[in-house]
């Protein structure tokens, strides 16, 4: 089955630690995205990548970093510089052109 | 003024009713319009994808776009308890690879 796999589903970390969220897709999509979802705030774009070894900041990139070394993988690192890291993180991908986004099932990150 | 406005609800209707969900937007450049359904602790699932103005039907779901009024709707006929979820509208101007602009979502409850 083609799809987007995010792992782990739940992640717990202590304040001050960096943490990396995994996103893998087998849809052969060119573009990949990371969104953050908070209650009452909707989805906000963190980073996106159109092609391997290239990525752009979204609306709320501060405190986050990404890499795109392989077409199928787009990991997100939440650094200790992110002031409010506790959130639901969603990875998405899109085929070329103006096709819609397809989402993974998210990672719930809790930082205490 | 926010780019996309969507009533957060909750919207509670009895089983079998017709449901109407709506979004308004301010950016006249938007050309591609999507509706996603999101169950609790899951990623958004694409329901409908339309280009420009007009109607699109898929089973019990109908999407309407009125670009002149900057207004989009999703109708659900013969609503079922399994339709209880948060519905997100999303839109995009096209031609680039940046992300979608989302509404904050409407929480829908179908009462058995």
């Amino acid at each position: 089955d083609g799809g987007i796999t995010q792992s782990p589903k739940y992640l717990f970390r202590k304040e001050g630690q960096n943490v990396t969220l995994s996103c893998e897709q087998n849809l052969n999509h060119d573009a990949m995205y990371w969104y953050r979802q908070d209650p009452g705030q909707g989805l906000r774009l963190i980073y996106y990548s159109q092609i391997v070894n290239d990525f752009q900041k979204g609306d709320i990139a501060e405190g986050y970093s990404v890499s795109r070394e392989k077409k199928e993988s787009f990991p997100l690192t939440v650094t200790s510089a992110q002031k409010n890291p506790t959130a639901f993180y969603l990875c998405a991908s899109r085929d070329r052109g103006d096709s819609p986004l397809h989402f993974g099932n998210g990672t719930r990150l809790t930082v205490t | 003024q926010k780019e996309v406005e969507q009533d957060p609800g909750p919207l509670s209707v009895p089983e079998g009713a017709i449901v109407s969900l709506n979004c308004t937007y301010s950016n006249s450049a938007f050309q591609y319009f999507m509706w996603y359904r999101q169950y609790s602790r899951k990623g958004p699932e694409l329901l409908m994808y339309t280009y420009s103005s007009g109607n699109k039907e898929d089973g019990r779901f109908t999407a309407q776009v009125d670009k002149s009024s900057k207004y989009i709707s999703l109708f659900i006929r013969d609503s079922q308890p399994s339709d209880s979820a948060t519905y997100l509208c999303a839109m995009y101007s096209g031609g680039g690879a940046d992300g979608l602009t989302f509404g904050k979502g409407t929480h829908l409850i179908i009462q058995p």
Side-chain angles (χ1 to χ4, degrees):
Chain A
D1 272 342
I4 300 170
T5 301
Q6 290 188 244
S7 60
K9 188 171 181 176
Y10 299 98
L11 193 51
F12 298 88
R13 280 294 181 269
K14 295 290 188 185
E15 206 172 292
Q17 293 179 334
N18 292 353
V19 60
T20 297
L21 282 59
S22 170
C23 178
E24 303 277 333
Q25 54 102 356
N26 60 5
L27 300 167
N28 199 33
H29 285 173
D30 291 318
M32 296 186 74
Y33 303 79
W34 276 104
Y35 284 89
R36 170 180 172 142
Q37 188 174 34
D38 297 280
Q41 295 242 32
L43 274 70
R44 292 182 290 168
L45 182 63
I46 304 172
Y47 267 99
Y48 64 100
S49 168
Q50 301 177 53
I51 197 169
V52 173
N53 293 323
D54 186 51
F55 46 82
Q56 286 77 41
K57 292 181 179 180
D59 301 319
I60 56 164
E62 185 175 347
Y64 300 98
S65 65
V66 293
S67 63
R68 186 89 187 272
E69 296 177 1
K70 299 185 297 182
K71 184 175 183 178
E72 57 270 22
S73 179
F74 191 40
L76 173 74
T77 296
V78 184
T79 75
S80 57
Q82 168 51 232
K83 296 283 186 267
N84 296 297
T86 294
F88 189 48
Y89 290 88
L90 288 160
C91 179
S93 70
R94 171 195 250 165
D95 203 352
R96 64 192 63 201
D98 295 317
S99 56
L101 264 61
H102 297 271
F103 285 87
N105 273 325
T107 292
R108 172 70 186 177
L109 173 64
T110 302
V111 177
T112 57
Chain B
Q1 183 187 7
K2 296 184 177 63
E3 273 205 294
V4 179
E5 299 272 7
Q6 186 176 10
D7 188 332
L11 175 62
S12 184
V13 301
E15 182 176 356
I18 295 174
V19 175
S20 173
L21 303 167
N22 311 293
C23 288
T24 59
Y25 63 95
S26 57
N27 186 348
S28 57
F30 289 142
Q31 296 188 79
Y32 297 87
F33 303 91
M34 284 135 277
W35 285 95
Y36 288 86
R37 177 176 63 196
Q38 186 176 24
Y39 293 114
S40 182
R41 291 184 288 277
K42 296 286 190 182
E45 169 195 9
L46 180 68
L47 281 178
M48 301 291 280
Y49 176 61
T50 55
Y51 171 72
S52 195
S53 285
N55 292 1
K56 183 175 182 179
E57 187 174 320
D58 185 359
R60 296 185 295 112
F61 299 92
T62 300
Q64 281 187 355
V65 175
D66 182 348
K67 288 189 69 181
S68 62
S69 301
K70 298 190 181 67
Y71 188 88
I72 69 170
S73 300
L74 178 71
F75 298 95
I76 307 174
R77 291 183 297 281
D78 188 25
S79 56
Q80 305 294 312
S82 59
D83 295 326
S84 298
T86 296
Y87 289 79
L88 303 163
C89 64
M91 45 202 78
Y92 164 66
S93 56
D98 57 343
L100 308 178
T101 300
F102 285 85
K104 293 185 178 181
T106 298
H107 183 206
L108 175 65
I109 300 168
I110 308 298
Q111 303 163 341

